Amino acid sequence: TTSLWIAEGFTNYYDDLILRRCNILTEARYLEIAEKNINDIENAAGKLIHPVAEASFDAWIKYYRQNENSVNAQVNYYKKGGVLAMLLDMKIIANSKSEYSLDNVMEEAFQTFYLQNNRGYTEDEFKLILEKYANEDLSDFYSNYVFGTSAIEYDTILNALGLTISNTEQNTLESDLGMIVNDKNIISQIRKNSAAEKNKLNVLDEIMAINNYRYTPTLLSVLTTDLVAGDYLIFMINRNGIIKSFEVAFQISDKINYSISINPNATSEQTKAYKKWLHL
């Protein structure tokens, strides 16, 4: 099925939202979780090549067979599905002037498909119920974000609930070089388009020294304190028993760190929609 982004992603959305509704999560903490979910999918390079519908369909041959390049080639249908559920919820609330929410979609789907007909749903059937409550043709939404890999336009959707979203990571140095190093000083993952990739470091390289200092987990952060884009460090690595040296130049990070905040100048309609969303 191409619908695991619904079956699993919507669950991923509701598990946090229900905790917020029960006041187990504070309003501020829930917004932090929403930020993290967005940032997790936006910082996976696979978002550019792997539609969430395809990730759903490929789950049994890809998602459960992760490797060092998965983050560069795949998208997580749990997390992206959860983010899309949140955006659809917001759309429904805003378009209905806070009369409906995603809850109404789920209730009607349960009544129609399970209780009345004792069966599941097709993706087209579920889309029709979403469109009914959103009062909007969602073909572009599906084409861009479900079956495509277009950049998600968060601003417009969040603004309808009086929320603003901004990237606080712009013009900052990629201090980790886009790599993850394990406790044996071996590179276990390299992010696509990162400085590590561009400067020929590889997964399974053992980092022996940087600028002639023996490598420790804290060394990189110490050496990068005063560096700017274009500066470089000399890495000595062990690659399959062969000692190699590479000049690794630093660059501006392409990582995203979205921060969500409440617009103090939100209209009464936007505030009403926000309160509907979080059951305030």
Side-chain angles (χ1 to χ4, degrees), residues 198-212:
K198 291 178 180 178
N199 291 275
K200 301 180 181 179
L201 294 180
N202 287 347
V203 168
L204 299 183
D205 283 346
E206 177 191 0
I207 304 176
M208 303 177 68
I210 304 177
N211 282 13
N212 293 323

PDB file of all heavy atoms in Angstrom, residues 198-212:
ATOM      1  N   LYS A 198      31.754  16.143   0.366  1.00  0.00           N
ATOM      2  CA  LYS A 198      32.417  16.905  -0.695  1.00  0.00           C
ATOM      3  C   LYS A 198      33.939  16.792  -0.622  1.00  0.00           C
ATOM      4  O   LYS A 198      34.621  16.955  -1.637  1.00  0.00           O
ATOM      5  CB  LYS A 198      32.002  18.372  -0.618  1.00  0.00           C
ATOM      6  CG  LYS A 198      30.552  18.619  -1.000  1.00  0.00           C
ATOM      7  CD  LYS A 198      30.193  20.087  -0.849  1.00  0.00           C
ATOM      8  CE  LYS A 198      28.734  20.342  -1.224  1.00  0.00           C
ATOM      9  NZ  LYS A 198      28.354  21.770  -1.031  1.00  0.00           N
ATOM     10  N   ASN A 199      34.453  16.542   0.577  1.00  0.00           N
ATOM     11  CA  ASN A 199      35.910  16.480   0.741  1.00  0.00           C
ATOM     12  C   ASN A 199      36.431  15.055   0.895  1.00  0.00           C
ATOM     13  O   ASN A 199      37.495  14.822   1.446  1.00  0.00           O
ATOM     14  CB  ASN A 199      36.330  17.333   1.935  1.00  0.00           C
ATOM     15  CG  ASN A 199      36.138  18.819   1.664  1.00  0.00           C
ATOM     16  OD1 ASN A 199      36.991  19.481   1.079  1.00  0.00           O
ATOM     17  ND2 ASN A 199      35.011  19.353   2.098  1.00  0.00           N
ATOM     18  N   LYS A 200      35.612  14.089   0.421  1.00  0.00           N
ATOM     19  CA  LYS A 200      36.050  12.717   0.171  1.00  0.00           C
ATOM     20  C   LYS A 200      36.235  11.844   1.407  1.00  0.00           C
ATOM     21  O   LYS A 200      36.882  10.790   1.337  1.00  0.00           O
ATOM     22  CB  LYS A 200      37.341  12.706  -0.665  1.00  0.00           C
ATOM     23  CG  LYS A 200      37.189  13.393  -2.018  1.00  0.00           C
ATOM     24  CD  LYS A 200      38.471  13.364  -2.823  1.00  0.00           C
ATOM     25  CE  LYS A 200      38.288  14.074  -4.158  1.00  0.00           C
ATOM     26  NZ  LYS A 200      39.532  14.073  -4.948  1.00  0.00           N
ATOM     27  N   LEU A 201      35.639  12.239   2.549  1.00  0.00           N
ATOM     28  CA  LEU A 201      35.598  11.309   3.664  1.00  0.00           C
ATOM     29  C   LEU A 201      34.537  10.262   3.361  1.00  0.00           C
ATOM     30  O   LEU A 201      33.547  10.542   2.691  1.00  0.00           O
ATOM     31  CB  LEU A 201      35.286  12.040   4.972  1.00  0.00           C
ATOM     32  CG  LEU A 201      36.350  13.032   5.454  1.00  0.00           C
ATOM     33  CD1 LEU A 201      35.902  13.683   6.754  1.00  0.00           C
ATOM     34  CD2 LEU A 201      37.706  12.347   5.635  1.00  0.00           C
ATOM     35  N   ASN A 202      34.725   9.052   3.882  1.00  0.00           N
ATOM     36  CA  ASN A 202      33.814   7.947   3.601  1.00  0.00           C
ATOM     37  C   ASN A 202      33.297   7.315   4.894  1.00  0.00           C
ATOM     38  O   ASN A 202      33.971   7.351   5.928  1.00  0.00           O
ATOM     39  CB  ASN A 202      34.513   6.839   2.798  1.00  0.00           C
ATOM     40  CG  ASN A 202      34.761   7.232   1.357  1.00  0.00           C
ATOM     41  OD1 ASN A 202      34.217   8.212   0.873  1.00  0.00           O
ATOM     42  ND2 ASN A 202      35.602   6.458   0.689  1.00  0.00           N
ATOM     43  N   VAL A 203      32.125   6.706   4.794  1.00  0.00           N
ATOM     44  CA  VAL A 203      31.649   5.848   5.866  1.00  0.00           C
ATOM     45  C   VAL A 203      32.664   4.707   6.038  1.00  0.00           C
ATOM     46  O   VAL A 203      33.238   4.209   5.064  1.00  0.00           O
ATOM     47  CB  VAL A 203      30.254   5.287   5.523  1.00  0.00           C
ATOM     48  CG1 VAL A 203      29.860   4.172   6.479  1.00  0.00           C
ATOM     49  CG2 VAL A 203      29.214   6.407   5.573  1.00  0.00           C
ATOM     50  N   LEU A 204      32.924   4.333   7.273  1.00  0.00           N
ATOM     51  CA  LEU A 204      33.885   3.306   7.712  1.00  0.00           C
ATOM     52  C   LEU A 204      35.314   3.818   7.809  1.00  0.00           C
ATOM     53  O   LEU A 204      36.212   3.078   8.228  1.00  0.00           O
ATOM     54  CB  LEU A 204      33.846   2.048   6.833  1.00  0.00           C
ATOM     55  CG  LEU A 204      32.510   1.303   6.801  1.00  0.00           C
ATOM     56  CD1 LEU A 204      32.637   0.046   5.942  1.00  0.00           C
ATOM     57  CD2 LEU A 204      32.041   0.938   8.200  1.00  0.00           C
ATOM     58  N   ASP A 205      35.554   5.095   7.457  1.00  0.00           N
ATOM     59  CA  ASP A 205      36.867   5.685   7.724  1.00  0.00           C
ATOM     60  C   ASP A 205      37.060   5.809   9.235  1.00  0.00           C
ATOM     61  O   ASP A 205      36.160   6.283   9.946  1.00  0.00           O
ATOM     62  CB  ASP A 205      36.986   7.083   7.113  1.00  0.00           C
ATOM     63  CG  ASP A 205      37.208   7.056   5.611  1.00  0.00           C
ATOM     64  OD1 ASP A 205      37.526   5.981   5.067  1.00  0.00           O
ATOM     65  OD2 ASP A 205      37.069   8.129   4.986  1.00  0.00           O
ATOM     66  N   GLU A 206      38.219   5.421   9.726  1.00  0.00           N
ATOM     67  CA  GLU A 206      38.570   5.641  11.133  1.00  0.00           C
ATOM     68  C   GLU A 206      39.355   6.942  11.233  1.00  0.00           C
ATOM     69  O   GLU A 206      40.404   7.098  10.587  1.00  0.00           O
ATOM     70  CB  GLU A 206      39.427   4.485  11.655  1.00  0.00           C
ATOM     71  CG  GLU A 206      39.884   4.697  13.100  1.00  0.00           C
ATOM     72  CD  GLU A 206      40.943   3.714  13.536  1.00  0.00           C
ATOM     73  OE1 GLU A 206      41.341   2.857  12.711  1.00  0.00           O
ATOM     74  OE2 GLU A 206      41.387   3.820  14.696  1.00  0.00           O
ATOM     75  N   ILE A 207      38.866   7.881  12.022  1.00  0.00           N
ATOM     76  CA  ILE A 207      39.567   9.154  12.186  1.00  0.00           C
ATOM     77  C   ILE A 207      40.666   8.966  13.227  1.00  0.00           C
ATOM     78  O   ILE A 207      40.401   8.662  14.393  1.00  0.00           O
ATOM     79  CB  ILE A 207      38.606  10.274  12.636  1.00  0.00           C
ATOM     80  CG1 ILE A 207      37.450  10.413  11.651  1.00  0.00           C
ATOM     81  CG2 ILE A 207      39.363  11.594  12.746  1.00  0.00           C
ATOM     82  CD1 ILE A 207      36.404  11.429  12.071  1.00  0.00           C
ATOM     83  N   MET A 208      41.897   9.143  12.808  1.00  0.00           N
ATOM     84  CA  MET A 208      43.041   8.963  13.704  1.00  0.00           C
ATOM     85  C   MET A 208      43.493  10.287  14.313  1.00  0.00           C
ATOM     86  O   MET A 208      43.832  10.358  15.503  1.00  0.00           O
ATOM     87  CB  MET A 208      44.196   8.300  12.950  1.00  0.00           C
ATOM     88  CG  MET A 208      43.825   6.953  12.330  1.00  0.00           C
ATOM     89  SD  MET A 208      45.172   6.235  11.388  1.00  0.00           S
ATOM     90  CE  MET A 208      46.333   5.866  12.696  1.00  0.00           C
ATOM     91  N   ALA A 209      43.500  11.340  13.498  1.00  0.00           N
ATOM     92  CA  ALA A 209      43.970  12.639  13.989  1.00  0.00           C
ATOM     93  C   ALA A 209      43.377  13.752  13.147  1.00  0.00           C
ATOM     94  O   ALA A 209      42.976  13.547  11.996  1.00  0.00           O
ATOM     95  CB  ALA A 209      45.497  12.696  13.952  1.00  0.00           C
ATOM     96  N   ILE A 210      43.284  14.941  13.747  1.00  0.00           N
ATOM     97  CA  ILE A 210      42.888  16.152  13.029  1.00  0.00           C
ATOM     98  C   ILE A 210      43.929  17.213  13.357  1.00  0.00           C
ATOM     99  O   ILE A 210      44.211  17.490  14.533  1.00  0.00           O
ATOM    100  CB  ILE A 210      41.492  16.651  13.443  1.00  0.00           C
ATOM    101  CG1 ILE A 210      40.436  15.564  13.256  1.00  0.00           C
ATOM    102  CG2 ILE A 210      41.103  17.888  12.627  1.00  0.00           C
ATOM    103  CD1 ILE A 210      39.040  15.982  13.707  1.00  0.00           C
ATOM    104  N   ASN A 211      44.538  17.797  12.316  1.00  0.00           N
ATOM    105  CA  ASN A 211      45.614  18.790  12.489  1.00  0.00           C
ATOM    106  C   ASN A 211      46.724  18.271  13.404  1.00  0.00           C
ATOM    107  O   ASN A 211      47.266  18.997  14.249  1.00  0.00           O
ATOM    108  CB  ASN A 211      45.049  20.107  13.043  1.00  0.00           C
ATOM    109  CG  ASN A 211      44.367  20.934  11.972  1.00  0.00           C
ATOM    110  OD1 ASN A 211      44.097  20.440  10.882  1.00  0.00           O
ATOM    111  ND2 ASN A 211      44.066  22.181  12.287  1.00  0.00           N
ATOM    112  N   ASN A 212      47.002  16.971  13.244  1.00  0.00           N
ATOM    113  CA  ASN A 212      48.076  16.297  13.989  1.00  0.00           C
ATOM    114  C   ASN A 212      47.767  16.082  15.468  1.00  0.00           C
ATOM    115  O   ASN A 212      48.649  15.661  16.232  1.00  0.00           O
ATOM    116  CB  ASN A 212      49.409  17.042  13.841  1.00  0.00           C
ATOM    117  CG  ASN A 212      49.932  16.982  12.418  1.00  0.00           C
ATOM    118  OD1 ASN A 212      49.783  15.970  11.732  1.00  0.00           O
ATOM    119  ND2 ASN A 212      50.530  18.077  11.968  1.00  0.00           N
TER     120      ASN A 212
END
